[in-house]
């Protein structure tokens, strides 16, 4: 029997905007410059060379000026023959894949910014990469980074003139000449079509960087709370509902196969994949078109127990992974079938369930499990979801494509259920039916009285019962009520909140 495959996507779509690629050797400050240009802390930055591996895209916007996209890439190490050379420890073994990613970025870009380090001066790696970039046949600007002021510009730029490209001194860390760089990038772009001109005024004030989340460090820290237990953070409403766009976050332990699943579902070799745990570090958006819909996967770093995290880069990666779940329509929790159910898997399920995050579970690498072990494996994963049985559980294989066909349809269904709005008449009939089927039990010699039911909000659907004494509603009855509402309103897989509020008056009194 042939294996069902996901629908074949069309060409990858990250943005319809023109692009500028940032390339350079490791540790010249490309990611810091990327964050400065998009005015958000998206790319992980660190003094250690070789932190960035996968390419990442963002938008550069300024009020009254043309919006365009920039692509951050990993550090490239080339020898004199344009072959990959051994890089620093952080990217060792990934040099060829990083080059492939950078070449893909340059192929899609209208222009290339070659970023160099003004403090280090011109190095052989810079010269070799400049020769490689020249062969692309596209406009090139050499961005001399780490030049903190005009007083040293001439001195620090002198030897880079040998590359034969236009030069611009900047400081990504301090913002020196960054707005000038934006304008230089716009000059590298082709003429703008007339129909896009109306959007020029929809940009943002380039002086108001708070609008872009540069003060979001606290959010990153808060998003990690709950991994070890405790009160979950307040749940954000998530992205707005847009029928033409579905945003999916990948979450799971290291080496569970998240990046492989993104590549398999999108039909692109977009993410670097290896057997080494912790290959992915940044949270990377990967978009593609499926029919008339744009689907964006947010591939994230693997999440380990906090007590086992000793590396600061991994800590930043984990925070970004958990935060990504709050900005997606649906989270895909990827588990490793060969590892079975682990304590960390249970923690992640509990975290998502407590926060009422819309999610589904994908048990990956199912093609490697012997058939005779499947019944026990399925029983263990079903047992893990005993207290959130509404969560879909799919068994898949990124390598063979097994089980991938229903993933996107199920994610869309969960998203749609999150936005269900029930009318007043249907709510009243539902409450009557719930009470008729099973009255609340007597508690302390009194039976709770139900006055009326209302829907407080969507995403997730939240229903509030007004009763005479909410303290008398016991947990088993609350579970019965939720199960009944799910069946009546056909909310089978989305999270749901059912609350009981004390009131001594019926509605209208």
């Amino acid at each position: 029997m042939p294996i069902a495959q996901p629908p074949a996507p069309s060409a990858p779509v990250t943005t319809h905007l023109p692009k500028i690629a940032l390339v350079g050797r490791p540790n010249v400050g490309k990611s810091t410059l990327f964050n400065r240009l998009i005015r958000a802390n998206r790319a992980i930055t660190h003094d250690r060379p070789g932190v960035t591996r996968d390419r990442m895209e963002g938008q550069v916007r300024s009020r009254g000026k043309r919006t365009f996209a920039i692509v951050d890439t990993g550090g490239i190490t080339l020898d004199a023959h344009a072959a990959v050379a051994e890089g620093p420890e952080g990217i060792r073994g990934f040099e060829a894949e990083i080059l492939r990613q950078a070449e893909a970025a340059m192929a899609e870009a209208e222009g290339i910014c070659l970023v160099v380090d003004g403090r280090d001066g011109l190095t052989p790696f810079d010269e070799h990469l400049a020769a490689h970039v020249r062969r692309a046949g596209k406009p090139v600007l050499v961005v001399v980074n780490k030049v903190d002021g005009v007083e040293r510009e001439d001195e620090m730029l002198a030897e880079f003139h040998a590359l034969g490209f236009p030069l611009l001194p900047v400081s990504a860390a301090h913002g020196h000449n960054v707005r000038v760089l934006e304008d230089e990038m716009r000059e590298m772009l082709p003429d703008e079509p007339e129909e896009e001109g109306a959007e020029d005024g929809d940009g943002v004030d380039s002086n108001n960087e708070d609008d872009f989340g540069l003060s979001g460090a606290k959010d990153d820290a808060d998003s990690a709370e709950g991994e070890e237990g405790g009160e979950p953070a307040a749940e954000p409403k998530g992205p707005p509902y847009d029928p033409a766009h579905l945003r999916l976050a990948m979450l799971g332990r290291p080496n569970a196969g998240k990046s492989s699943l993104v590549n398999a579902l999108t039909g692109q070799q977009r993410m670097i994949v290896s057997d080494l745990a912790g290959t992915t570090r940044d949270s990377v958006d990967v978009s593609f078109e499926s029919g008339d819909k744009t689907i964006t996967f947010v591939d994230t770093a693997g999440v380990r127990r906090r007590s086992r995290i000793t590396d600061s880069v991994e800590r930043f990666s984990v925070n970004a992974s958990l935060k990504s779940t709050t900005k997606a329509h649906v989270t895909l929790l990827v588990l490793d079938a060969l590892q079975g159910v682990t304590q960390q898997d249970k923690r992640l399920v509990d975290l998502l369930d407590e926060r009422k995050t819309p999610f589904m579970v994908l048990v990956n690498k199912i093609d490697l499990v012997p058939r005779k072990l499947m019944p026990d494996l399925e029983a263990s994963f079903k047992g893990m979801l005993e207290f959130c049985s509404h969560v879909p559980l799919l068994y898949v294989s990124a390598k063979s494509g097994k089980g991938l066909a229903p993933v996107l349809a199920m994610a869309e269904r969960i998203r749609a259920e999150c936005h269900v709005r029930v009318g007043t008449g249907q709510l009243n009939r539902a409450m009557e039916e719930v009470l008729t089927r099973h009255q609340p039990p007597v508690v302390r010699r009194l039976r709770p009285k139900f006055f009326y039911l209302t829907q407080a909000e969507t995403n997730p659907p939240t229903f509030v019962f007004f009763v005479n004494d909410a303290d008398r509603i016991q947990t088993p009855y609350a579970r019965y009520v939720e199960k009944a509402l799910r069946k009546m309103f056909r909310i089978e897989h989305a999270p749901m909140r059912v609350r009981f509020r004390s009131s001594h008056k019926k509605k209208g009194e």
Side-chain angles (χ1 to χ4, degrees):
M1 179 178 179
I3 296 174
Q5 298 288 346
S10 61
V13 175
T14 48
T15 175
H16 297 291
L17 298 170
K19 301 176 185 177
I20 298 292
L22 301 178
V23 300
R25 61 182 175 83
N27 210 33
V28 293
K30 297 184 296 299
S31 294
T32 303
L33 186 60
F34 175 84
N35 287 343
R36 176 70 69 171
L37 287 165
I38 68 171
R39 303 180 183 93
N41 291 324
R42 279 188 56 200
I44 295 175
T45 59
H46 200 277
D47 292 337
R48 181 195 312 164
V51 170
T52 303
R53 292 174 180 169
D54 294 286
R55 72 184 190 268
M56 178 183 293
E57 297 191 13
Q59 294 184 10
V60 179
R61 299 180 293 171
S62 292
R63 190 178 302 280
K65 296 183 179 181
R66 185 178 183 182
T67 299
F68 62 96
I70 56 173
V71 187
D72 184 26
T73 61
I76 303 172
T77 52
L78 294 179
D79 61 20
H81 304 288
V84 291
E86 184 176 86
E89 183 179 356
I91 62 171
R92 199 160 297 160
F94 297 100
E95 293 91 346
E97 284 292 325
I98 290 173
L99 177 61
R100 181 182 64 81
Q101 293 260 349
E103 288 178 335
M106 289 189 288
E108 296 174 359
E110 303 293 344
I112 301 168
C113 284
L114 174 59
V115 185
V116 296
D117 188 333
R119 296 176 188 169
D120 291 347
L122 184 63
T123 69
F125 278 147
D126 294 327
E127 295 177 321
H128 301 156
L129 183 54
H132 187 69
V133 166
R134 182 175 282 107
R135 287 191 285 270
K138 297 188 176 183
V140 178
L141 173 66
V142 174
V143 180
V144 185
N145 192 24
K146 307 182 184 179
V147 180
D148 297 332
V150 295
E151 62 277 359
R152 296 195 62 194
E153 285 185 359
D154 292 340
E155 174 190 351
M156 299 180 77
L157 264 62
E159 57 184 327
F160 291 105
H161 286 286
L163 297 178
F165 294 119
L167 307 179
L168 179 66
V170 302
S171 173
H174 300 102
H176 174 60
N177 265 356
V178 170
R179 300 300 159 242
V180 177
L181 173 60
E182 284 188 16
D183 292 336
E184 291 292 332
M185 287 178 165
R186 289 187 177 92
E187 290 296 321
M188 302 169 72
L189 302 176
D191 293 338
E192 186 175 13
E194 290 184 5
E195 58 271 21
E196 295 182 6
E199 299 179 1
D200 285 352
D202 295 335
V204 294
D205 187 351
S206 61
N207 294 321
N208 186 8
E209 299 196 351
D210 287 342
D211 291 341
F212 292 85
L214 289 183
S215 58
K218 182 179 184 297
D219 294 336
D220 286 343
D222 289 344
S223 67
E225 293 297 329
E227 188 182 341
E228 296 291 347
E231 290 297 321
E235 308 85 0
K237 293 292 290 182
Y241 183 80
D242 179 3
H245 186 208
L246 179 62
R247 188 172 179 85
L248 307 174
M250 311 295 290
L251 187 69
R253 293 184 295 110
N255 216 28
K258 299 179 293 298
S259 297
S260 297
L261 281 170
V262 170
N263 288 345
L265 287 165
T266 61
Q268 314 168 31
Q269 291 302 310
R270 179 60 175 79
M271 300 300 301
I272 295 176
V273 176
S274 80
D275 294 333
L276 179 66
T279 299
T280 304
R281 287 173 171 169
D282 290 291
S283 294
V284 181
D285 290 8
V286 181
S287 298
F288 72 102
E289 287 184 348
S290 179
D292 58 352
K293 185 173 299 181
T294 299
I295 299 175
T296 299
F297 286 95
V298 185
D299 192 17
T300 65
V303 179
R304 293 196 299 167
R305 290 186 60 179
R306 189 178 306 170
S307 59
R308 295 183 179 179
I309 299 175
T310 58
D311 179 60
S312 58
V313 172
E314 183 178 0
R315 185 174 293 109
F316 294 144
S317 298
V318 168
N319 288 344
S321 299
L322 295 172
K323 189 173 182 179
S324 295
T325 66
T326 68
K327 298 183 178 182
H329 295 112
V330 181
T331 294
L332 276 55
L333 178 59
V334 182
L335 308 183
D336 188 338
L338 300 180
Q339 297 292 326
V341 178
T342 68
Q343 287 299 316
Q344 182 65 356
D345 294 334
K346 294 178 180 178
R347 288 188 184 91
L348 291 174
V349 168
D350 289 343
L351 175 64
L352 296 173
D353 186 46
E354 286 176 2
R355 293 182 174 183
K356 298 301 180 183
T357 300
F359 76 103
M360 57 194 293
V361 175
L362 303 182
V363 182
N364 192 25
K365 307 181 185 179
I366 202 66
D367 55 315
L368 302 179
V369 178
R371 182 173 298 181
K372 63 181 180 181
L373 299 180
M374 279 299 298
D376 291 339
L377 184 75
E378 293 176 357
S380 65
F381 282 107
K382 287 180 181 178
M384 178 187 66
L385 298 175
E386 181 179 2
F387 292 100
C388 50
S389 56
H390 64 278
V391 176
L393 178 61
L394 302 180
Y395 298 92
V396 302
S397 169
K399 186 176 181 179
S400 69
K402 182 178 181 180
L404 295 182
V407 171
L408 297 182
M410 179 58 73
E412 180 56 57
R413 179 177 176 180
I414 295 172
R415 195 262 295 264
E417 289 181 0
C418 284
H419 292 271
V420 165
R421 172 65 71 173
V422 183
T424 303
Q426 192 175 357
L427 288 171
N428 291 333
R429 291 191 296 272
M431 188 182 76
E432 293 177 4
E433 186 172 343
V434 166
L435 297 177
T436 301
R437 287 183 179 179
H438 183 20
Q439 287 192 343
V442 174
V443 178
R444 297 191 296 273
R445 296 186 296 180
L446 291 175
R447 190 185 303 277
K449 292 183 179 179
F450 283 62
F451 297 139
Y452 62 95
L453 168 64
T454 184
Q455 183 174 359
E457 59 184 6
T458 60
N459 197 23
T462 301
F463 301 96
V464 181
F465 285 88
F466 287 85
V467 299
N468 64 336
D469 188 354
D471 292 337
R472 295 180 186 273
I473 306 298
Q474 296 181 326
T475 300
Y477 192 75
R479 289 177 183 160
Y480 155 73
V481 169
E482 178 181 338
K483 187 175 181 180
L485 293 183
R486 285 186 177 279
K487 185 174 182 180
M488 283 185 279
F489 301 150
R490 297 182 179 178
I491 304 176
E492 298 181 24
H493 301 298
M496 177 191 291
R497 291 194 186 96
V498 178
R499 291 171 173 165
F500 301 90
R501 188 170 297 172
S502 296
S503 175
H504 298 287
K505 294 182 179 180
K506 292 185 177 181
K507 189 175 184 179
E509 291 184 1

Short mmCIF file of all heavy atoms in Angstrom, two decimals, residues 268-306:
data_model
loop_
_atom_site.label_atom_id
_atom_site.label_comp_id
_atom_site.label_asym_id
_atom_site.label_seq_id
_atom_site.Cartn_x
_atom_site.Cartn_y
_atom_site.Cartn_z
N GLN A 268 10.89 21.25 1.04
CA GLN A 268 12.13 22.00 0.83
C GLN A 268 13.20 21.46 1.79
O GLN A 268 12.87 21.03 2.89
CB GLN A 268 11.95 23.49 1.14
CG GLN A 268 10.73 24.15 0.58
CD GLN A 268 10.52 25.52 1.19
OE1 GLN A 268 11.46 26.22 1.55
NE2 GLN A 268 9.27 25.92 1.30
N GLN A 269 14.45 21.56 1.39
CA GLN A 269 15.55 21.30 2.33
C GLN A 269 15.92 22.64 2.97
O GLN A 269 17.00 23.17 2.78
CB GLN A 269 16.73 20.67 1.59
CG GLN A 269 16.48 19.27 1.11
CD GLN A 269 16.11 18.33 2.25
OE1 GLN A 269 16.78 18.27 3.27
NE2 GLN A 269 15.00 17.61 2.08
N ARG A 270 14.99 23.17 3.72
CA ARG A 270 15.12 24.54 4.24
C ARG A 270 15.91 24.61 5.53
O ARG A 270 16.61 25.58 5.79
CB ARG A 270 13.71 25.12 4.46
CG ARG A 270 13.67 26.52 5.03
CD ARG A 270 14.35 27.52 4.13
NE ARG A 270 14.20 28.88 4.63
CZ ARG A 270 14.91 29.40 5.61
NH1 ARG A 270 15.83 28.66 6.21
NH2 ARG A 270 14.71 30.63 6.02
N MET A 271 15.81 23.58 6.36
CA MET A 271 16.49 23.56 7.65
C MET A 271 17.67 22.60 7.62
O MET A 271 17.61 21.54 7.00
CB MET A 271 15.52 23.14 8.76
CG MET A 271 14.30 24.05 8.91
SD MET A 271 14.73 25.76 9.29
CE MET A 271 15.63 25.55 10.83
N ILE A 272 18.73 22.98 8.31
CA ILE A 272 19.89 22.09 8.45
C ILE A 272 19.51 20.95 9.39
O ILE A 272 18.99 21.17 10.48
CB ILE A 272 21.10 22.85 9.00
CG1 ILE A 272 21.55 23.92 7.99
CG2 ILE A 272 22.25 21.89 9.30
CD1 ILE A 272 22.68 24.80 8.49
N VAL A 273 19.78 19.72 8.94
CA VAL A 273 19.41 18.53 9.71
C VAL A 273 20.64 17.68 9.94
O VAL A 273 21.46 17.49 9.03
CB VAL A 273 18.34 17.70 8.94
CG1 VAL A 273 18.03 16.41 9.68
CG2 VAL A 273 17.07 18.53 8.75
N SER A 274 20.80 17.19 11.16
CA SER A 274 21.88 16.26 11.46
C SER A 274 21.48 15.39 12.64
O SER A 274 20.47 15.64 13.30
CB SER A 274 23.18 17.02 11.79
OG SER A 274 23.17 17.48 13.13
N ASP A 275 22.27 14.35 12.88
CA ASP A 275 22.00 13.47 14.02
C ASP A 275 22.44 14.10 15.33
O ASP A 275 22.14 13.58 16.40
CB ASP A 275 22.74 12.13 13.84
CG ASP A 275 22.19 11.33 12.67
OD1 ASP A 275 21.00 11.52 12.36
OD2 ASP A 275 22.94 10.55 12.08
N LEU A 276 23.13 15.22 15.26
CA LEU A 276 23.61 15.89 16.46
C LEU A 276 22.48 16.67 17.11
O LEU A 276 21.84 17.51 16.48
CB LEU A 276 24.76 16.84 16.10
CG LEU A 276 25.38 17.66 17.24
CD1 LEU A 276 26.08 16.74 18.23
CD2 LEU A 276 26.34 18.70 16.69
N ALA A 277 22.22 16.39 18.39
CA ALA A 277 21.18 17.12 19.12
C ALA A 277 21.58 18.58 19.25
O ALA A 277 22.74 18.91 19.47
CB ALA A 277 20.98 16.51 20.50
N GLY A 278 20.59 19.48 19.11
CA GLY A 278 20.86 20.90 19.25
C GLY A 278 21.33 21.57 17.98
O GLY A 278 21.94 22.64 18.04
N THR A 279 21.05 20.96 16.82
CA THR A 279 21.48 21.55 15.55
C THR A 279 20.80 22.90 15.32
O THR A 279 21.44 23.87 14.92
CB THR A 279 21.16 20.60 14.39
OG1 THR A 279 21.88 19.38 14.58
CG2 THR A 279 21.55 21.21 13.06
N THR A 280 19.48 22.97 15.56
CA THR A 280 18.75 24.22 15.39
C THR A 280 18.89 25.08 16.65
O THR A 280 18.72 24.58 17.76
CB THR A 280 17.26 23.95 15.12
OG1 THR A 280 17.14 23.10 13.97
CG2 THR A 280 16.49 25.24 14.88
N ARG A 281 19.19 26.36 16.47
CA ARG A 281 19.34 27.27 17.60
C ARG A 281 18.32 28.41 17.57
O ARG A 281 17.68 28.68 18.57
CB ARG A 281 20.77 27.83 17.61
CG ARG A 281 21.80 26.79 18.05
CD ARG A 281 23.21 27.30 17.90
NE ARG A 281 24.18 26.41 18.51
CZ ARG A 281 25.48 26.50 18.34
NH1 ARG A 281 25.98 27.47 17.59
NH2 ARG A 281 26.31 25.65 18.93
N ASP A 282 18.22 29.09 16.44
CA ASP A 282 17.25 30.17 16.33
C ASP A 282 15.87 29.60 16.05
O ASP A 282 15.72 28.47 15.58
CB ASP A 282 17.63 31.12 15.18
CG ASP A 282 18.88 31.94 15.50
OD1 ASP A 282 18.80 32.80 16.38
OD2 ASP A 282 19.92 31.69 14.87
N SER A 283 14.84 30.42 16.34
CA SER A 283 13.49 30.08 15.91
C SER A 283 13.31 30.66 14.52
O SER A 283 13.28 31.87 14.34
CB SER A 283 12.47 30.67 16.89
OG SER A 283 12.57 30.06 18.16
N VAL A 284 13.19 29.76 13.53
CA VAL A 284 13.26 30.16 12.13
C VAL A 284 11.90 29.97 11.46
O VAL A 284 11.29 28.90 11.56
CB VAL A 284 14.32 29.33 11.37
CG1 VAL A 284 14.40 29.76 9.92
CG2 VAL A 284 15.67 29.46 12.05
N ASP A 285 11.42 31.02 10.76
CA ASP A 285 10.17 30.93 10.01
C ASP A 285 10.44 30.33 8.63
O ASP A 285 11.35 30.76 7.93
CB ASP A 285 9.56 32.32 9.82
CG ASP A 285 9.01 32.89 11.13
OD1 ASP A 285 9.25 32.28 12.17
OD2 ASP A 285 8.36 33.95 11.07
N VAL A 286 9.63 29.33 8.28
CA VAL A 286 9.71 28.71 6.95
C VAL A 286 8.29 28.70 6.37
O VAL A 286 7.41 28.04 6.92
CB VAL A 286 10.26 27.27 7.01
CG1 VAL A 286 10.34 26.68 5.62
CG2 VAL A 286 11.62 27.25 7.70
N SER A 287 8.07 29.44 5.28
CA SER A 287 6.74 29.57 4.70
C SER A 287 6.67 28.91 3.33
O SER A 287 7.66 28.84 2.62
CB SER A 287 6.34 31.05 4.58
OG SER A 287 6.29 31.67 5.85
N PHE A 288 5.48 28.43 2.99
CA PHE A 288 5.24 27.90 1.66
C PHE A 288 3.75 28.03 1.36
O PHE A 288 2.93 28.25 2.26
CB PHE A 288 5.71 26.46 1.53
CG PHE A 288 4.85 25.45 2.24
CD1 PHE A 288 3.95 24.67 1.54
CD2 PHE A 288 4.94 25.27 3.60
CE1 PHE A 288 3.15 23.74 2.18
CE2 PHE A 288 4.16 24.35 4.27
CZ PHE A 288 3.26 23.58 3.54
N GLU A 289 3.40 27.91 0.10
CA GLU A 289 2.01 28.02 -0.32
C GLU A 289 1.43 26.64 -0.54
O GLU A 289 2.03 25.80 -1.20
CB GLU A 289 1.89 28.86 -1.60
CG GLU A 289 2.12 30.35 -1.36
CD GLU A 289 1.91 31.16 -2.62
OE1 GLU A 289 1.81 30.54 -3.71
OE2 GLU A 289 1.87 32.40 -2.52
N SER A 290 0.24 26.43 0.02
CA SER A 290 -0.50 25.20 -0.18
C SER A 290 -1.89 25.59 -0.66
O SER A 290 -2.71 26.07 0.13
CB SER A 290 -0.57 24.39 1.11
OG SER A 290 -1.31 23.20 0.93
N GLY A 291 -2.13 25.43 -1.95
CA GLY A 291 -3.39 25.91 -2.51
C GLY A 291 -3.43 27.43 -2.47
O GLY A 291 -2.51 28.11 -2.92
N ASP A 292 -4.49 27.98 -1.89
CA ASP A 292 -4.62 29.43 -1.78
C ASP A 292 -4.23 29.92 -0.39
O ASP A 292 -4.58 31.03 0.01
CB ASP A 292 -6.07 29.84 -2.09
CG ASP A 292 -7.08 29.17 -1.16
OD1 ASP A 292 -6.67 28.27 -0.38
OD2 ASP A 292 -8.27 29.52 -1.22
N LYS A 293 -3.48 29.11 0.36
CA LYS A 293 -3.13 29.45 1.74
C LYS A 293 -1.63 29.48 1.91
O LYS A 293 -0.90 28.66 1.34
CB LYS A 293 -3.77 28.43 2.69
CG LYS A 293 -3.58 28.73 4.17
CD LYS A 293 -4.38 27.74 5.00
CE LYS A 293 -5.85 27.86 4.69
NZ LYS A 293 -6.67 26.94 5.50
N THR A 294 -1.15 30.43 2.71
CA THR A 294 0.26 30.48 3.08
C THR A 294 0.41 29.85 4.46
O THR A 294 -0.27 30.25 5.41
CB THR A 294 0.77 31.93 3.10
OG1 THR A 294 0.65 32.49 1.80
CG2 THR A 294 2.24 31.96 3.53
N ILE A 295 1.29 28.88 4.56
CA ILE A 295 1.53 28.19 5.82
C ILE A 295 2.96 28.49 6.27
O ILE A 295 3.90 28.34 5.49
CB ILE A 295 1.31 26.68 5.68
CG1 ILE A 295 -0.14 26.41 5.27
CG2 ILE A 295 1.64 25.95 6.98
CD1 ILE A 295 -0.44 24.96 4.97
N THR A 296 3.10 28.92 7.51
CA THR A 296 4.41 29.24 8.06
C THR A 296 4.71 28.31 9.23
O THR A 296 3.95 28.25 10.20
CB THR A 296 4.46 30.70 8.56
OG1 THR A 296 4.22 31.57 7.46
CG2 THR A 296 5.83 31.02 9.16
N PHE A 297 5.80 27.57 9.10
CA PHE A 297 6.31 26.77 10.21
C PHE A 297 7.36 27.59 10.96
O PHE A 297 8.20 28.24 10.34
CB PHE A 297 6.95 25.47 9.71
CG PHE A 297 5.98 24.44 9.25
CD1 PHE A 297 5.64 24.33 7.92
CD2 PHE A 297 5.39 23.57 10.16
CE1 PHE A 297 4.73 23.38 7.48
CE2 PHE A 297 4.48 22.61 9.73
CZ PHE A 297 4.16 22.52 8.40
N VAL A 298 7.32 27.54 12.27
CA VAL A 298 8.35 28.14 13.09
C VAL A 298 9.15 26.99 13.71
O VAL A 298 8.71 26.36 14.66
CB VAL A 298 7.78 29.04 14.20
CG1 VAL A 298 8.90 29.75 14.95
CG2 VAL A 298 6.80 30.05 13.62
N ASP A 299 10.31 26.71 13.10
CA ASP A 299 11.16 25.64 13.62
C ASP A 299 11.94 26.19 14.80
O ASP A 299 12.49 27.30 14.74
CB ASP A 299 12.10 25.13 12.54
CG ASP A 299 12.78 23.83 12.94
OD1 ASP A 299 12.29 23.16 13.88
OD2 ASP A 299 13.81 23.50 12.34
N THR A 300 12.00 25.43 15.89
CA THR A 300 12.62 25.94 17.12
C THR A 300 13.68 24.98 17.64
O THR A 300 13.77 23.83 17.22
CB THR A 300 11.55 26.13 18.22
OG1 THR A 300 11.00 24.84 18.57
CG2 THR A 300 10.43 27.04 17.75
N ALA A 301 14.47 25.49 18.56
CA ALA A 301 15.48 24.65 19.21
C ALA A 301 14.83 23.66 20.16
O ALA A 301 13.74 23.89 20.69
CB ALA A 301 16.46 25.54 19.98
N GLY A 302 15.51 22.54 20.39
CA GLY A 302 15.00 21.54 21.32
C GLY A 302 15.01 22.05 22.75
O GLY A 302 15.88 22.81 23.16
N VAL A 303 14.00 21.62 23.51
CA VAL A 303 13.82 22.09 24.89
C VAL A 303 14.19 20.97 25.85
O VAL A 303 13.53 19.93 25.90
CB VAL A 303 12.36 22.54 25.13
CG1 VAL A 303 12.18 23.01 26.56
CG2 VAL A 303 11.98 23.63 24.15
N ARG A 304 15.25 21.20 26.62
CA ARG A 304 15.65 20.26 27.66
C ARG A 304 15.23 20.80 29.02
O ARG A 304 14.83 21.96 29.17
CB ARG A 304 17.17 20.06 27.66
CG ARG A 304 17.71 19.37 26.43
CD ARG A 304 19.12 18.87 26.68
NE ARG A 304 20.06 19.94 26.99
CZ ARG A 304 21.28 19.73 27.48
NH1 ARG A 304 21.68 18.49 27.74
NH2 ARG A 304 22.10 20.74 27.72
N ARG A 305 15.36 19.97 30.04
CA ARG A 305 15.09 20.43 31.40
C ARG A 305 16.03 21.57 31.75
O ARG A 305 17.22 21.55 31.43
CB ARG A 305 15.29 19.29 32.41
CG ARG A 305 14.23 18.22 32.34
CD ARG A 305 14.41 17.22 33.46
NE ARG A 305 14.33 17.87 34.77
CZ ARG A 305 14.44 17.22 35.93
NH1 ARG A 305 14.67 15.91 35.93
NH2 ARG A 305 14.34 17.87 37.05
N ARG A 306 15.51 22.56 32.43
CA ARG A 306 16.30 23.73 32.76
C ARG A 306 17.53 23.37 33.59
O ARG A 306 18.60 23.97 33.44
CB ARG A 306 15.44 24.74 33.52
CG ARG A 306 16.12 26.09 33.71
CD ARG A 306 15.21 27.05 34.43
NE ARG A 306 13.92 27.16 33.75
CZ ARG A 306 12.89 27.79 34.28
NH1 ARG A 306 12.98 28.34 35.47
NH2 ARG A 306 11.75 27.88 33.62
#
